[in-house]
Amino acid sequence: MGDISNYFEGVTTVFRNKDLLQIDHVPDNERLIIGRESQLNALATGLQPAVEGQKPNNVLIYGKTGTGKSLCSKFMARQLVSAASENDVSVGVAYVDCFQDSTESQVIRSLGSTINDQEVTDETFPASGVSTSECYKRAWRVMDDLYDVVVVVLDELDKMDDPNSALMNLSRAAEAEKIQSCKLGIIGISNKPRFKDRLNERARSSLCQRDFVFPPYDANQIEKILEARDGAFKDDVLEPGVIPRAAALAAREHGDARKAIDILRTAGEMAQEEQADTVREGHVDAAQVQTERDHLIEVLAEQPPHSRYVLKSVALLDQQMDDRAVKSSDVNQLYRQICTEQYSSDPLSWRRVRDLLHELEFLEIIERKRKGAGRGEGGYMETHLLDAPEIVIDACDAIESDGR
DNA sequence: AATCCACTGGAAACCTAGGGCC
DNA sequence: GGCCCTAGGTTTCCAGTGGATT
């Protein structure tokens, strides 16, 4: 081995175990989960029967982003698997993010392929080419073949196009004798408390056997959460004010622990980049701006290019109109102009632009209100950006230049 | 309270690309 | 090879809507 490693020498690192600050990191000790004792207990009670190989209760969980819903569900599912295996009960857990897999067909495919073991069952779950009902049948066979109990975690359930049909099919699997020996339990996770209203009678009664709420964390709890993960850093790297500062910033926005952890990790990365020995409060403030931009870029990068052109038009109008409302038809006008002049591509139809605006609203990047302008003037939609226009424009441009 | 209009958003249909099964 | 499936992006058509003005 020659001296190929020079690149890594002499770079001081502030991290000891950065994994602790990844958002999907699930602690292996419940003492590291702060302030969620009653929720963990409720979850455990719901899942309890599965330890004996019985059917677990279906559970519905509400709570805003970053309140520990996914974390607790994953943690408890893992506990369940090991507790059950001591009784010789084999439990399968399928975690499905309905934001990514938003149609019934995608959900069942994703579910199937996570619990599947092709070597044993000889089943496959191709992304296309097989009907949805065939995928269900394959999933039932996999469950019967491999497991005594299967727990399906449906995260971001409110982001599903039509949750009813999938929920009905899953919850009624046993009654309809689709699966013979295997028991199936569902944990549904939703950001919106009103989600229940979108469900029909059957889906609601089966899913909502038990439901409970994850309240937002307060600044104190967020501080403890961050402290619980300070092993991510080397000793004495964090200056005293850092954690309280990060906690305060995150608590200001509806107690989002995920955001707090993001900010802390980014602050560390920034300190490291400038080869500082310690992470200071200044890094935290800079990290907050950075994470906001990063988040925007992450979301926008997955959108079709024209969605970004539309958003950019909104941002430009928002910027130049001071506090006058932005009308969708104005957005369309500017969008058409930007398309031909800046990106030299054919603008999409007016109808499609309205759809893109609708999607941007759904992604919580813009906010809209319907207005009527009066006799002979028609009605229109008032659009507002949720972030500063400069950040939005910057993020759009960053993706464009990054894209190739 | 009736009117009026541009805008809104649902529905249907089209197209392309990707793929499985017999 | 023919027939079946799904997905994503788009267009076309159109009934419905809000609220200031009459």
Side-chain angles (χ1 to χ4, degrees):
Chain A
M1 318 279 151
D3 35 359
I4 38 166
S5 59
N6 273 351
Y7 291 107
F8 302 105
E9 265 172 27
V11 177
T12 62
T13 174
V14 295
F15 294 109
R16 174 191 292 141
N17 178 11
K18 200 166 152 188
D19 283 349
L20 294 177
L21 295 177
Q22 299 304 332
I23 32 164
D24 51 0
H25 171 80
V26 180
D28 41 20
N29 184 328
E30 68 200 76
R31 258 173 298 173
L32 295 176
I33 300 178
I34 309 294
R36 296 283 104 127
E37 291 81 8
S38 65
Q39 284 81 5
L40 282 174
N41 279 331
L43 257 177
T45 319
L47 295 178
Q48 183 64 42
V51 180
E52 309 284 335
Q54 301 303 305
K55 186 199 172 311
N57 293 293
N58 294 336
V59 178
L60 185 60
I61 298 173
Y62 304 115
K64 296 201 168 154
T65 44
T67 49
K69 305 182 298 298
S70 318
L71 179 83
C72 290
S73 311
K74 286 178 183 169
F75 173 79
M76 205 40 92
R78 213 162 61 186
Q79 298 296 103
L80 170 64
V81 171
S82 63
S85 75
E86 292 185 6
N87 294 344
D88 271 336
V89 174
S90 88
V91 175
V93 175
Y95 175 87
V96 180
D97 182 353
C98 302
F99 188 65
Q100 283 171 41
D101 303 315
S102 61
T103 65
E104 178 179 11
S105 171
Q106 285 173 335
V107 165
I108 184 65
R109 283 166 220 271
S110 162
L111 192 168
S113 43
T114 43
I115 57 169
N116 192 19
D117 181 349
Q118 204 185 331
E119 308 273 294
V120 183
T121 59
D122 205 27
E123 303 278 1
T124 56
F125 293 88
S128 61
V130 172
S131 73
T132 306
S133 65
E134 172 61 22
C135 283
Y136 270 112
K137 286 177 196 146
R138 292 182 183 187
W140 305 144
R141 285 200 293 269
V142 170
M143 291 180 191
D144 272 336
D145 279 1
L146 299 181
Y147 304 101
D148 300 315
V149 181
V150 166
V151 176
V152 181
V153 182
L154 297 171
D155 205 350
E156 313 250 23
L157 191 48
D158 50 324
K159 300 291 191 306
M160 248 188 102
D161 294 344
D162 174 24
N164 282 312
S165 156
L167 286 174
M168 301 243 299
N169 280 323
L170 287 174
S171 64
R172 298 187 61 245
E175 304 166 33
E177 299 189 340
K178 304 284 185 189
I179 43 179
Q180 309 296 322
S181 59
C182 182
K183 314 283 189 236
L184 181 62
I186 305 172
I187 299 180
I189 304 181
S190 162
N191 285 321
K192 301 215 167 77
R194 303 294 307 272
F195 170 68
K196 238 187 199 178
D197 302 347
R198 280 179 53 203
L199 297 179
N200 61 32
E201 211 40 58
R202 296 199 87 113
R204 190 176 326 167
S205 64
S206 70
L207 181 62
C208 307
Q209 293 170 341
R210 291 154 189 268
D211 54 353
F212 49 94
V213 179
F214 279 53
Y217 294 110
D218 60 34
N220 223 325
Q221 289 172 316
I222 294 192
E223 220 173 300
K224 281 190 191 141
I225 290 170
L226 294 181
E227 276 163 12
R229 302 192 180 202
D230 72 356
F233 294 94
K234 290 183 179 162
D235 293 336
D236 301 324
V237 159
L238 293 180
E239 295 204 349
V242 164
I243 284 185
R245 180 84 189 131
L249 286 176
R252 209 165 56 183
E253 301 208 24
H254 58 254
D256 184 342
R258 184 182 311 187
K259 190 168 223 165
I261 292 174
D262 256 354
I263 290 177
L264 188 60
R265 191 191 60 246
T266 309
E269 285 166 356
M270 291 180 126
Q272 174 155 322
E273 214 156 280
E274 58 188 57
Q275 307 243 353
D277 298 331
T278 60
V279 182
R280 288 182 295 275
E281 279 187 60
H283 292 130
V284 176
D285 292 333
Q288 196 216 0
V289 177
Q290 175 79 28
T291 52
E292 217 168 288
R293 186 172 174 272
D294 285 352
H295 177 245
L296 209 49
I297 289 180
E298 199 177 311
V299 174
L300 288 178
E302 285 177 20
Q303 297 307 113
H306 283 266
S307 175
R308 295 192 295 269
Y309 306 160
V310 169
L311 177 62
K312 193 171 168 184
S313 310
V314 175
L316 286 169
L317 286 171
D318 189 278
Q319 206 171 27
Q320 78 189 43
M321 310 252 288
D322 295 327
D323 42 30
R324 271 208 302 137
V326 179
K327 281 173 41 171
S328 328
S329 48
D330 296 339
V331 173
N332 188 44
Q333 226 177 9
L334 181 58
Y335 157 76
R336 300 184 77 86
Q337 192 185 331
I338 288 184
C339 265
T340 45
E341 288 175 11
Q342 259 183 280
Y343 300 106
S344 54
S345 75
D346 291 334
L348 300 172
S349 70
W350 172 216
R351 178 69 187 85
R352 180 67 187 135
V353 169
R354 268 154 27 213
D355 267 345
L356 292 176
L357 282 169
H358 188 85
E359 276 163 38
L360 288 169
E361 180 183 30
F362 179 76
L363 292 170
E364 296 176 337
I365 298 172
I366 63 176
E367 212 171 43
R368 300 189 305 161
K369 258 203 194 90
R370 194 160 185 183
K371 294 273 181 178
R375 186 191 170 89
E377 296 297 319
Y380 62 91
M381 209 71 156
E382 226 179 69
T383 301
H384 291 288
L385 280 179
L386 286 174
D387 297 284
E390 296 77 30
I391 299 187
V392 173
I393 296 172
D394 183 46
C396 289
D397 291 341
I399 296 168
E400 247 44 76
S401 54
D402 204 68
R404 72 188 52 209

